[in-house]
Amino acid sequence: MYSFAQIIVFMKFTAQQIATIIGGTVEGDPLVSVDSISKIEEGTEGTLSFLANPKYEPFIYTTQASIVLVNTAFTPEKKISTTLIKVDDPYQSFATLMEFYQKQLEPELITEEPVKIHPTATLGENCYIGAFAYIGKNVKIGKNVKIYPQVYIGDNAIVGDNTTFFPGVKVYNNSVIGNNCIFHSGVIIGSDGFGFAPSAATGYKKVPQLGNVIIEDYVEVGSNTTIDRATMGSTIIRKGVKLDNLIQIAHNVEIGENTVMAAQSGVSGSTKIGRDCMIGGQVGFVGHLKIADEVKVGAQSGVNYNVKNTGTIIQGSPAMPILDFQKSTVIFKKLPAMDKKISELEKIIKDLQSKLQAN
Amino acid sequence: MYSFAQIIVFMKFTAQQIATIIGGTVEGDPLVSVDSISKIEEGTEGTLSFLANPKYEPFIYTTQASIVLVNTAFTPEKKISTTLIKVDDPYQSFATLMEFYQKQLEPELITEEPVKIHPTATLGENCYIGAFAYIGKNVKIGKNVKIYPQVYIGDNAIVGDNTTFFPGVKVYNNSVIGNNCIFHSGVIIGSDGFGFAPSAATGYKKVPQLGNVIIEDYVEVGSNTTIDRATMGSTIIRKGVKLDNLIQIAHNVEIGENTVMAAQSGVSGSTKIGRDCMIGGQVGFVGHLKIADEVKVGAQSGVNYNVKNTGTIIQGSPAMPILDFQKSTVIFKKLPAMDKKISELEKIIKDLQSKLQAN
Amino acid sequence: MYSFAQIIVFMKFTAQQIATIIGGTVEGDPLVSVDSISKIEEGTEGTLSFLANPKYEPFIYTTQASIVLVNTAFTPEKKISTTLIKVDDPYQSFATLMEFYQKQLEPELITEEPVKIHPTATLGENCYIGAFAYIGKNVKIGKNVKIYPQVYIGDNAIVGDNTTFFPGVKVYNNSVIGNNCIFHSGVIIGSDGFGFAPSAATGYKKVPQLGNVIIEDYVEVGSNTTIDRATMGSTIIRKGVKLDNLIQIAHNVEIGENTVMAAQSGVSGSTKIGRDCMIGGQVGFVGHLKIADEVKVGAQSGVNYNVKNTGTIIQGSPAMPILDFQKSTVIFKKLPAMDKKISELEKIIKDLQSKLQAN
């Protein structure tokens, strides 16, 4: 049905169309078209590239890219097969073109049909509401918000301006979400925290989860990440936090400003992580911890103690200072040799003992 | 658009309204209102608190909470700024109020539009079916069931009474689900087990997954957790089991009654876990194991052997008795020092050897 | 409402109906019915079994299975209580019956209502489009494709023939998906990679994710697995790859042909994994690695270096050759004993030293 070699990643643009968009001049074939982008040194037919760094100039004579953006001042020293588009700042023009391209991919700012929007919900101007989206009672949505298809926004939720919910995001009631946030498909915000009390009748009795989730501005959350509501009060994701895919944020957790966390990490209930931290993938934090600012945690670590000093770097399961971890890890690999060495020494010592006794 | 300081977590209630709900008497300003709750020692303006334990009585004179529920017998010894509501049992009244509040958040017991319900499906009384929900052929749903928007219930599935499916839950065909269960958003029940047989033609050939999933009563499953159907027979989640978010339950697994499992853990195919077990976060079980009752497994453990004794506590990857793990872990951190010590001893021994030889 | 003992996993079939489907002859009660399957040695009333391997012949006299498929040549030597259906090849007939059963579970090849299909999208023949599915601009769908309810296929996506998307799968724009693939519920394809550049204004600035995801033929992806689009170029899942549930595939990753990966594993950005690899559960790969073909990685490993040799087997966090890991792990458990031994030796050595000095 299709060939993997003919993948249309971009819409097709001719050199002339591109020159018009970015205000450049074509030198070469104005009708040659591209549908993808490449680095100049890896350029293939049908791709667009750019020459910004003079270091890469030699590649312009060999590149297979069909179109290359170059500086107005650029004059080829040899024959050139690619079509050039001359602009004042090739890198900036490339960025402009990418923005233009991304804009084309954005949905029209309309409300598609069918959707379910409760009459008490309010929506700012210039929003996109995709088909099969659900917006509950008293929801307040800011302006320029994109709610893709199949998104659910529960009762009383508040959403700031310029925030995007990709298809299938679910936001439970009473969640509060800031401006300029991005939530990728499958993100769950505000599900119940994992709280149960032992009970004779049913094994465990559910502890009501009465709090909510607060997400501040400029937060981005990756696919299928889950953020539980607080038992009481709020689970808080501070301004600028970036969470990767499949992360678990438990009830009453707080993640400090601009902290970034890689995929599949998990933070247990009531743990507070500071600002500007960098958390690797598949890391786990036990509950009720306090982690200082600018802390770095290596992948697959298990953090089970408070980290008090700003900028601490830790790794391991259980976690320890990274240098200790690295040193111990090196020796872990040598454990069989070490074991053997100890046996040898023991033998020598016994030998020495008997010799000494014999003396 | 909004201020993070003005988050309305609860609907606004005045002291008078609250007194009416719980049958109490207001002392103070009947028009003061609250929209959130607090502990008495941390109370802030606009919050409601309660005084049940006499130990906390001193805080009633300093709390900033706008309203505090107190016992009818309570008479302030000093001036008090907060508004009191006197009731027979402040803790019980607080619980009643929380239940009242939670009831307000529950959806109306109606079928919204549009939904897709196959004509052969049957629904008990007092159900909520949210918009964009899909209910397949021959599905049997009990009474008081809440099916939030965008939920999918596949053909022939059976659901007991009082069970709740939050938005976006997907239940594959032939699944059997008990009474009083809760499934949070993004839960997948009954997807195919991971079964493939080597095949010359296509690398691997899919092994048909002909079984189903059975979930007994009082089970709660967290967001984005996945429970695969059995290859043949049933994957079984017993009564009272509580699964946190992002957990993987593979085909033919059985989880015993009242076992609780923290986020991001995974159980491989055909493993049977006993009753009343407590499994930490990010734990993995290999396949075909048998784990006894009341077993506790520490976070990030990797369990690769049968655990035969009731109440065993294990940790580590691979797992071992927890005391052994703790002792070995302490020494893991000292490995570099141990390594150095061995080198020193070796040197001394060589020295001793030569001295002895010299003697 | 229902009893766990009476679960209808299969539709009810009588012996006569089954004989008609597979072209066999009934010996016994043609009206006895089954609604489930069993192994002959574990057969219970109401189940169907088969006897293919003569080794299991003794069980036919004791099995409680209501119906057993047997070879035409089979003549009981003793009294038999089960109903027999005689066929030429019992195993093949059993497989045929299972296929027949699975076919019954497949949806009708219709477009349900409501759906949202953009007028520019094209669909091949014999497709199923479930209610609340969304198909965007310029999407190209092959023939015999099953798009279950609540699936989202973004603009410009291309899908080959015979591919199935279970309920709730989300495919971002520009994704390219091959023939004969299966995507289970909650799978996210093409969400943005986790790319951010430090920025004074907002902590981090998003790096535009301009690439896409390419998934070749015969790929199966488990529930809630996430596959991010490339920053530039493509994230590629090669022919025959099988991914289990809750796996994270980051931007620009490439997974080689017929590689299988167990649940909850994660691959960081730009890592390339070879063909015919077997990756255990909860494994993590750091970014920018190159892993050879036929490599095996044990569960919970952390791979942080390039693996150059075909067929290498590694385990551990960090990973190392599996034999080294196993040997070191054995000694890890003995570390307390080793520590004690060293102290003892040290004491003996000191004793020897002083004796030697005394001499």
Side-chain angles (χ1 to χ4, degrees), chain A residues 16-153:
Chain A
Q16 189 54 63
Q17 285 170 324
I18 291 169
T20 306
I21 292 164
I22 57 178
T25 317
V26 179
E27 279 194 13
D29 179 1
L31 294 180
V32 69
S33 68
V34 292
D35 59 16
S36 186
I37 55 179
S38 63
K39 296 178 186 169
I40 191 165
E41 68 274 26
E42 301 169 351
T44 54
E45 211 190 307
T47 67
L48 168 91
S49 195
F50 66 92
L51 173 62
N53 185 338
K55 202 175 75 177
Y56 287 87
E57 201 171 302
F59 291 110
I60 202 159
Y61 302 105
T62 57
T63 187
Q64 298 297 309
S66 299
I67 304 175
V68 181
L69 310 187
V70 295
N71 191 281
T72 320
F74 174 75
T75 317
E77 293 169 355
K78 304 189 237 176
K79 197 171 167 293
I80 248 177
S81 59
T82 183
T83 291
L84 303 180
I85 299 180
K86 292 189 160 182
V87 289
D88 286 345
D89 181 342
Y91 180 76
Q92 188 51 51
S93 290
F94 180 79
T96 300
L97 198 59
M98 289 307 100
E99 268 175 39
F100 175 87
Y101 164 67
Q102 286 219 304
K103 272 252 154 60
Q104 307 298 309
L105 291 180
E106 286 186 0
E108 275 185 88
L109 300 178
I110 56 166
T111 296
E112 297 178 347
E113 282 298 332
V115 294
K116 177 96 186 166
I117 303 179
H118 197 273
T120 55
T122 61
L123 284 160
E125 54 192 12
N126 293 323
C127 288
Y128 164 62
I129 315 288
F132 318 120
Y134 187 103
I135 299 180
K137 272 183 261 182
N138 304 317
V139 168
K140 287 183 184 56
I141 307 270
K143 56 189 181 187
N144 306 318
V145 169
K146 292 188 185 71
I147 295 177
Y148 276 79
Q150 301 142 344
V151 165
Y152 172 88
I153 313 266

Side-chain angles (χ1 to χ4, degrees), chain A residues 132 134 151 170 172 174 177-178 186 191 206 214 224 226 228 232 246 248 265 283 301-302 317 328 341, chain B residues 2 4 7 9 37 101 112 132 150 166 184-185 220 223-224 244-245 258 264 282 300 332 336 342 346:
Chain A
F132 318 120
Y134 187 103
V151 165
K170 310 300 179 200
Y172 279 53
N174 292 336
I177 295 171
S191 42
K206 186 173 174 63
I214 297 175
N224 283 346
T226 61
D228 281 350
M232 217 174 273
L246 292 166
Q248 151 71 350
S265 287
V283 167
S301 297
S317 174
S328 286
K341 168 66 73 185
Chain B
Y2 64 89
F4 281 113
I7 292 144
V9 175
I37 56 180
Y101 165 67
E112 297 178 346
F132 318 121
Q150 301 142 345
F166 279 103
H184 283 283
S185 287
E220 182 161 345
S223 302
N224 284 344
D244 201 351
N245 299 355
N258 295 327
Q264 298 177 315
Q282 299 180 336
Q300 296 192 328
F332 178 81
I342 292 169
E346 191 176 11

Side-chain angles (χ1 to χ4, degrees), chain C residues 14-310:
Chain C
T14 64
Q16 190 52 63
Q17 285 171 323
I18 291 169
T20 306
I21 294 164
I22 59 178
T25 317
V26 179
E27 280 193 13
D29 179 2
L31 294 180
V32 69
S33 68
V34 293
D35 59 14
S36 186
I37 55 179
S38 62
K39 296 179 186 168
I40 191 165
E41 69 273 28
E42 301 170 350
T44 53
E45 210 189 309
T47 66
L48 168 92
S49 195
F50 66 93
L51 173 61
N53 185 337
K55 201 175 76 177
Y56 287 88
E57 201 171 302
F59 291 109
I60 202 157
Y61 303 105
T62 56
T63 187
Q64 298 299 310
S66 299
I67 304 176
V68 181
L69 310 187
V70 295
N71 193 281
T72 320
F74 175 76
T75 317
E77 294 169 354
K78 302 190 239 176
K79 195 171 168 293
I80 249 177
S81 58
T82 183
T83 292
L84 304 179
I85 300 180
K86 292 189 163 184
V87 289
D88 286 345
D89 182 340
Y91 180 75
Q92 188 50 50
S93 289
F94 180 77
T96 301
L97 198 60
M98 290 305 102
E99 269 175 40
F100 176 85
Y101 165 67
Q102 287 219 302
K103 271 253 155 58
Q104 307 299 311
L105 291 180
E106 285 187 1
E108 274 184 88
L109 300 177
I110 57 165
T111 296
E112 297 177 346
E113 282 297 334
V115 295
K116 177 97 189 166
I117 303 178
H118 197 273
T120 56
T122 61
L123 285 159
E125 54 193 12
N126 292 325
C127 287
Y128 164 62
I129 315 288
F132 318 121
Y134 187 104
I135 299 180
K137 273 183 261 182
N138 305 315
V139 168
K140 286 182 185 56
I141 307 269
K143 57 188 180 187
N144 305 320
V145 170
K146 292 188 186 70
I147 296 178
Y148 276 79
Q150 302 143 343
V151 165
Y152 172 89
I153 313 267
D155 297 348
N156 310 313
I158 299 174
V159 176
D161 300 338
N162 309 315
T163 284
T164 297
F165 299 88
F166 279 104
V169 172
K170 311 299 179 200
V171 179
Y172 279 54
N173 61 47
N174 292 335
S175 299
V176 177
I177 294 171
N179 306 301
N180 301 297
C181 293
I182 298 175
F183 300 95
H184 283 284
S185 286
V187 167
I188 314 293
I189 298 168
S191 43
D192 283 355
F194 196 62
F196 300 94
S199 145
T202 56
Y204 289 91
K205 193 174 152 53
K206 186 173 173 64
V207 176
Q209 301 293 306
L210 302 163
N212 74 339
V213 172
I214 297 176
I215 295 178
E216 295 189 355
D217 302 340
Y218 293 102
V219 168
E220 182 160 345
V221 181
S223 300
N224 284 345
T225 281
T226 61
I227 304 175
D228 281 350
R229 70 196 308 113
T231 306
M232 219 174 273
S234 300
T235 302
I236 305 177
I237 311 294
R238 295 277 177 215
K239 191 180 164 183
V241 166
K242 312 296 180 191
L243 302 179
D244 201 350
N245 299 355
L246 291 165
I247 286 172
Q248 152 72 350
I249 304 293
H251 58 91
N252 295 83
V253 162
E254 181 176 335
I255 311 284
E257 268 187 42
N258 295 328
T259 282
V260 294
M261 197 175 289
Q264 298 177 315
S265 286
V267 186
S268 303
S270 300
T271 283
K272 315 281 181 217
I273 296 180
R275 59 192 295 164
D276 296 305
C277 294
M278 299 181 74
I279 314 297
Q282 298 180 335
V283 167
F285 291 83
V286 305
H288 298 275
L289 296 182
K290 207 166 157 22
I291 308 296
D293 298 338
E294 297 171 35
V295 167
K296 291 191 174 77
V297 183
Q300 296 191 326
S301 297
V303 185
N304 59 4
Y305 59 95
N306 295 317
V307 177
K308 290 176 182 161
N309 295 324
T310 301

Side-chain angles (χ1 to χ4, degrees), chain B residues 150-323:
Chain B
Q150 301 142 345
V151 165
Y152 173 88
I153 313 267
D155 296 348
N156 310 315
I158 298 174
V159 176
D161 300 337
N162 309 314
T163 284
T164 297
F165 299 88
F166 279 103
V169 172
K170 311 299 180 201
V171 179
Y172 279 54
N173 62 47
N174 292 337
S175 299
V176 177
I177 294 172
N179 306 301
N180 301 297
C181 293
I182 298 175
F183 300 95
H184 283 283
S185 287
V187 167
I188 314 295
I189 297 168
S191 42
D192 283 356
F194 196 62
F196 301 94
S199 145
T202 55
Y204 289 91
K205 193 174 152 54
K206 185 173 175 64
V207 175
Q209 302 292 304
L210 302 163
N212 75 340
V213 172
I214 297 176
I215 296 179
E216 296 189 353
D217 302 340
Y218 293 101
V219 169
E220 182 161 345
V221 181
S223 302
N224 284 344
T225 280
T226 61
I227 304 175
D228 281 351
R229 72 195 307 113
T231 306
M232 219 174 271
S234 301
T235 302
I236 305 178
I237 312 294
R238 295 276 176 215
K239 191 178 164 184
V241 166
K242 313 295 180 192
L243 302 178
D244 201 351
N245 299 355
L246 291 164
I247 285 173
Q248 151 72 351
I249 304 293
H251 58 90
N252 296 83
V253 163
E254 180 175 334
I255 311 283
E257 268 188 41
N258 295 327
T259 282
V260 295
M261 197 176 288
Q264 298 177 315
S265 286
V267 185
S268 303
S270 301
T271 283
K272 315 280 181 218
I273 296 181
R275 58 192 295 163
D276 296 305
C277 294
M278 300 181 74
I279 314 298
Q282 299 180 336
V283 166
F285 291 83
V286 304
H288 299 275
L289 296 183
K290 205 164 157 26
I291 308 296
D293 299 338
E294 297 170 37
V295 167
K296 291 191 172 76
V297 183
Q300 296 192 328
S301 296
V303 185
N304 59 3
Y305 59 95
N306 294 318
V307 177
K308 289 174 185 164
N309 295 324
T310 301
T312 306
I313 308 182
I314 57 178
Q315 185 158 17
S317 173
M320 59 192 81
I322 192 165
L323 283 179

Side-chain angles (χ1 to χ4, degrees), chain B residues 316-328:
Chain B
S317 173
M320 59 192 81
I322 192 165
L323 283 179
D324 293 353
F325 175 73
Q326 286 169 345
K327 282 184 201 158
S328 285

